[in-house]
Every structure is written in structure tokens, then in C-alpha cells.
Amino acid sequence: MKVTGFISLWTLVSLPCGPLANPAEREDVVKHAIKLHRGKGAVITQRKQWVLESCRKLSGLLRQKNVVLNKLKNAIRAVEKDAGLSDEEKLFQVHTFEIFQKELNESENSVFQAIHGLQRALQGDYKDVVNMKESSRQRLEALREAAIKEEMEYVELLAAEKHQVEALKNMQHQNKSLSMLDEILEDVRKAADRLEEEIEEHAFDDNKSVRGVNFEAVLRVEEDEANSKRNASKREVEDDLGLSMLIDSQNNQYILTKPRDSTIPRADHHFIKDIVTIGMLSLPCGWLCTTIGLPTMFGYIICGVLLGPSGLNSIKSIVQVETLGEFGVFFTLFLVGLEFSPERLRKVWKISLQGPCYMTVLMIAFGLLWGHLLQIRPTQSVFISTCLSLSSTPLVSRFLAGSARGDKEGDIDYSSVLLGMLVMQDVQLGLFIAVMPTLIQAGVSTYSSIFKEILRILILIGQILFSLAAVFLLCLVIKTYLIGPYYRKLHTESKGNKEILILGITAFTFLMLTITELLDVSMELGCFLAGALISSQGHMVTEEIMCCIEPIRDFLAIIFFASIGLHVFPTFVIYELTVLLFLTLSVVIMKFVLAVLVLSLILPKTSQYIKWIVSAGLAQVSEFSFVLGSRARRAGIISREVYLLILSVTTLSLLLAPALWRAAIMKCVPRPERRSST
């Protein structure tokens, strides 16, 4: 019984709960705990004996703690008055005493916190799940706070250890004369300490009290756990450098973004391995698709499927791979703009503006109709219809690489119309991202506020139109006054050195990207406009820049298409193949028919023949539906099931796109031009 009572007491001591205010309250809690304990044992005498012994031990420990605290205070005063100690030795000893004081106080608090937690648990209703959940949440918060306090104490102990080393070094330096080299190294050491103190941000202490910041329990995982002996020394180095992976309770994985010690260079080896693996596997996958007559981009998507969560699951830095892949989109659209001169844009601007707008309105109308029949919320119907109305610019730009142009005077070539409409869809993408917060609020709003929501949407549309006007006005100024002198300066400085030319063009692209982002327009539009502005300098300039940028674009495009494959789940497609094929064919046919209908109304009679090719190019779903779908799922606009359906339909439509494109080319393009366009 004594052993059981001792174990129970220290079990209580180990439970962290909320702090008690004063000794009087603690005494009340102890009395109440003794009262609760009566009647719960086998023999009254044994129960009384256990209570008396436990309380006697506890009171003795508390008295001993108070005596030790008084001795520590006297010791600190004695150390501070001791003139024979150096500053480093005083700092070390005082720091050590203060840490011990804090440890004693925290240990005392934990005892009464545990009793208070037991009292709260006994008073609760074990049948009330909500009450049990709240108690569990309070214990979890207490555990998190206790863990943070323990971490801080451990850091203080490390600092005290550092002060001890400095004190020992100072004593050794006083006992012996230093050489000139030792004095130089000592000065360097002190300067390095000052540097570390200056660059250290104290991000944890600065942010832990910020509103909205929560303490979370995480797991720290080292690399290659299976072969621990071989990688033991390597993991020790990684532990020092902070290169481990953290996993929270929601299974989100985190890697180091900014180290505490910025003086040591670091590399994310997970990310390096991921890029190397994608690069190596993309080659055979691309060759396979070329052999069977598919575009190489599908080989890169297959590469992402094989390496992603649905395959070997070997990609650890998924977010970083996707981020690098976004640069592939940026450079792809830059080269699209480089081939799409302002003169060609001026020729088809009415069609480019009207076509996507009409198609989006019709898609939303059909979506609301089907949503009403299937009893789907209007907010969800509008979102799904808008996602499906977008088409893939990178995919179509690959189709149009080296495509034929209209050979008759006054003809409008299909590449100009297609690219113009795709660029307008990119503008619509920026508009939709801007409107999405209002769409989220509209999903939970009552009908009494519907007019306010419509007014807010109209205001946002006005802001986007104003931003677009500002962007195009800025482009006009750049084209008239800046782009010519800027390129001539780059061309002069880059003779014999292409690095300056590549860097200058890349910087200009990123500048336009930043401007459109600041004006709440899509970054992709900024990249396209950068290419279009540079193309205004002539055909020779376009050819020179294209030769420099194309290799960069090709490599980054591989990463981009592989990142799409990371979100393709073949098992889900196989399980729901019938439904997905029906939905995909319905979407592709609907987009094709709507595009043909709209183009029949807005194209000149002499160019009606290109409507089939343009409609075939638009009859798939943009990969940006992945981005929009993920945001909508996090915001609660769509469910998990709808999100997976959007991903699967998008993937299948992209796979069907080459077949539909080739069929349209075979039907509408004359044979001499067909070779160059396919």
C-alpha cells in the first residue's frame, strides 16, 4: 500500500495543470484532496497512514525547498560582492543559481497543479464528451506550456555551460602568458560572439506571445532511420545544423527555412535529392512518350506520379518542388509573350477579350443550372464552373511551338487568337483569386446580405479593371521610353558574356511580375507582358533572347509538369473510372461546343475555319484548377470529394488534349503546314 501511495503521489506530481494563486489556496486544495481520498481505500487505518505519510513527506520537501531558496539568495549576494571573481565567473555562478531557483519553484508548482487537475477531473461528468474534451484540451495546453518552459530551461543551461567555459578560459589566460596567435584568436572569438548576438533574431521569444500563435507538439525525424549505425555520425552533424524534419499532429511536415546561426552555410539535402531524382527519371519517361507519339510533358507528369504520394512516395519537399516549378510557368509565358508581338495582339484584341468572357459566363450559367437540378449550393456551382472554364496556357503553348501562321492577306492565324484568349483567361484567374474571399463569405451569408455581397463583388471587379488599366498604361510608357534604351545597354554590356543579357532579361521579367502582383493581377500576366514588350524591339532581338532563355524554360518546365504529377492519384481514378470518364468527356465536349458557338459569333467570316482548332485548344482544364481547388478546399467552399473529382477531371482532360488537337489540325490545316504545326 505504501508503494502504491508513493507511486500515486509522484504520478500526481508529474501532471502539469494550471498554476494556483497562493499558499492558502494550495492548502485548501490539499485538504480537499485528502477529503476526496477518504472512503476510497480498503482499510481506514492504512488509508490514514498513507495520507499522513504522504502529506508529511510533501510538507518536509516544501520546508526544505524554502531553506534552499534562502541559501541560494545569500549565495548570489556573496558572489556579486566577491571582488576576487572575474565578470565571467560571476555571470556563470549567478546564472547557475538562478536556474536552480527556477527549477525548485517549477517543481513545487507542478505538485499543486497536479492536485488541482485531479480535483477538476473528479468533479467532471465522465458521460459528458464535451466536458472531457475541454479537460483534455486544458491538459494539452498545460503540457505544451510545460514543454516550452523545459526547452527554455535547457537553453539557459546551455548558456550557463558556455559561461562556464568562458570562465575557465579566462582563468587559464590569467595563469599563463598568451602568444600573439592566441591573443588574435581570443579577439576573433569575442568578435564572433558579438556577431552571433547581433544577427540572432530571437524569433521564438518575439512570436510566442503574438495573437494567433499556438503551441504545437511536433516530432523530430532524422534521415534514413533504417540504417542508424551507418548514419549515426551524419545525424549528429544534422542535429547540430538543424536539418531534421518536423511533423506536427496534423501530419504536416516542416523543414528549416532560416537557421539560428546564419554564419554556417546549409543546404536542404531533401530538396536536392528530389530535384536530382526528378531530373533522372524524366529522361526515360520523356523518351517513352516520344516513342508512342505523345508530347514529352506527359512523360514528366508520369514521372511525378511515380515519385509522388501515389507512387514510390520518395519526394520529401513537395512544396519546394512545386515552388520551383512555378518558375517554369513564368518562363513559359515569357516566351509565349516573346512570340506574341503587340502587333498581333492589336489585331485580335477584340476576339481575345470577348471570347473568354462569353465562355466563362456560359459555363457559370450551365453550372448554376446543373447545380439547381442536383441541389448543389450556388457558391460551389460558381466555383466549379469557373475552375472548369480555364484552359492550360503552358500546354497550348507547347502545342503551338513552331505552329503555322495564316498565309493569306487579312487572315487571322489561330495561334494569335488562341494565345490571346488564354492570356485573357489568365487575367480572369487573377480576378477570380481576388474575388475568392468574398465568395467564401457569400457561402456562409444569409439572403438578407446578398445585395451587400453583390456590391462587394462589383467593387472588386472595378478594382481589378482599374489595375488592368494601370498595367497596360505602364506597359505603354515602358514600350515608348524605356525598353529600347534598356535592351541596347544590355546588348552592349553583354558582348562576349551572355550572363549579363540573361540576368537583365530575367530581372525585367521579375519586375513586371512584381508590378502585376502588387496591382492584384496575376503574376503570369506580368511574365507574358514582359515578353511582349521585348518582342517589340524586332525579330533579331527575339531570336537572340529566345536562344538564351529556352534552355532555362525547358528545365523548369520539367519540374512544373512533374509537380502536377504529384497530385495525380491513379488508384482514385481506377476506383471511379466510369464516373470520371463521363465527367471528363462531358466537360471537354461542353467546352468545345461553347467555344465553337462563341467563335462563330465573333470571328470574321474569312477566318471562320480556325474556330475548330481554337476550340480544340481550349477544350481542356487548366492546371491552375489544382491551386484554386486547394484554396477552396481549405476555405470550405468545396468538399474533399469534389476536390478529388476536380483534380481527376483536370488530369484526364489534359491527357485527352493532344488527341483532340491533332484531330483538329488534321481536319483544318493544309498538309504542307501540318508538318510544322505537329
Side-chain angles (χ1 to χ4, degrees), residues 78 147 260 283 370 541 584 678:
R260 175 179 178 271
L283 178 62
W370 281 104
V541 174
T584 303
T678 56

Side-chain angles (χ1 to χ4, degrees), residues 83 238 294 371 429 434 522:
E238 289 183 356
L294 287 175
L429 174 66
S522 67

Side-chain angles (χ1 to χ4, degrees), residues 158-188:
L158 292 178
E161 183 182 22
K162 183 178 179 180
H163 294 155
Q164 182 183 25
V165 173
E166 292 179 353
L168 292 175
K169 287 183 178 180
N170 187 53
M171 293 177 58
Q172 293 175 357
H173 293 161
Q174 291 178 353
N175 296 332
K176 66 177 183 180
S177 59
L178 297 178
S179 64
M180 182 179 297
L181 179 60
D182 291 334
E183 291 180 356
I184 293 174
L185 292 177
E186 181 65 18
D187 292 338
V188 172

Side-chain angles (χ1 to χ4, degrees), residues 15 27-28 52 65 213 248 253 284 307 317 356 362 433 458 480 490 493 497 502 532 534 589 644 646 657:
L15 290 174
E27 185 177 356
D28 293 338
L52 290 175
K65 190 264 302 187
V213 173
D248 66 6
Q253 300 180 10
L307 297 176
S317 304
L362 290 174
I433 291 175
L458 292 177
T480 306
L490 281 179
E493 297 293 333
N497 185 6
I502 295 174
I534 292 176
I589 293 173
L644 290 175
I646 291 176

Side-chain angles (χ1 to χ4, degrees), residues 279-531:
M280 291 190 299
L281 188 58
S282 295
L283 178 62
C285 292
W287 269 347
L288 177 63
C289 288
T290 303
T291 303
I292 61 179
L294 287 175
T296 54
M297 56 162 287
F298 287 105
Y300 310 147
I301 294 177
I302 293 173
C303 170
V305 174
L306 294 176
L307 297 176
S310 57
L312 300 176
N313 197 22
S314 62
I315 301 296
K316 304 299 182 183
S317 304
I318 293 180
V319 176
Q320 287 69 32
V321 170
E322 292 174 346
T323 303
L324 183 61
E326 285 299 308
F327 286 92
V329 178
F330 296 156
F331 282 100
T332 296
L333 291 175
F334 169 77
L335 290 180
V336 169
L338 201 63
E339 293 183 339
F340 194 67
S341 64
E343 288 74 17
R344 295 173 64 195
L345 181 62
R346 192 181 303 115
K347 192 175 181 181
V348 298
W349 74 271
K350 288 185 179 180
I351 301 172
S352 302
L353 181 63
Q354 295 174 359
C357 294
Y358 292 157
M359 287 187 62
T360 302
V361 171
L362 290 174
M363 285 289 293
I364 292 176
F366 275 101
L368 289 173
L369 176 61
W370 281 104
H372 177 72
L373 295 176
L374 299 175
Q375 296 182 348
I376 302 174
R377 288 180 299 155
T379 305
Q380 194 170 9
S381 299
V382 170
F383 174 82
I384 295 173
S385 302
T386 307
C387 271
L388 298 179
S389 68
L390 302 175
S391 301
S392 175
T393 303
L395 175 64
V396 176
S397 64
R398 286 300 185 96
F399 290 161
L400 295 177
S403 62
R405 304 288 187 260
D407 55 351
K408 299 178 182 179
E409 187 66 26
D411 268 0
I412 299 176
D413 62 86
Y414 61 83
S415 60
S416 299
V417 176
L418 192 50
L419 288 177
M421 295 181 69
L422 289 171
V423 169
M424 189 59 202
Q425 285 189 353
D426 290 335
V427 175
Q428 290 178 350
L429 174 66
L431 175 64
F432 189 58
I433 291 175
V435 174
M436 187 176 285
T438 303
L439 194 63
I440 294 170
Q441 295 179 6
V444 296
S445 299
T446 59
Y447 288 100
S448 60
S449 62
I450 188 66
F451 295 106
K452 285 186 177 181
E453 299 301 331
I454 293 175
L455 180 61
R456 292 181 61 182
I457 292 175
L458 292 177
I459 292 174
L460 281 172
I461 292 175
Q463 292 175 351
I464 294 297
L465 293 177
F466 175 79
S467 299
L468 288 175
V471 168
F472 286 112
L473 181 62
L474 179 63
C475 290
L476 182 61
V477 173
I478 292 175
K479 178 180 180 297
T480 306
Y481 300 104
L482 298 178
I483 191 65
Y486 178 73
Y487 178 76
R488 285 192 292 272
K489 181 66 175 176
L490 281 179
H491 186 73
T492 303
E493 297 293 333
S494 63
K495 287 185 177 179
N497 185 6
K498 295 298 182 182
E499 294 177 6
I500 299 297
L501 179 62
I502 295 174
L503 181 60
I505 296 302
T506 304
F508 178 69
T509 304
F510 291 164
L511 174 64
M512 293 298 298
L513 178 152
T514 305
I515 291 174
T516 54
E517 174 70 10
L518 292 176
L519 292 173
D520 291 329
V521 188
S522 67
M523 294 184 290
E524 290 76 14
L525 179 63
C527 299
F528 175 84
L529 292 175

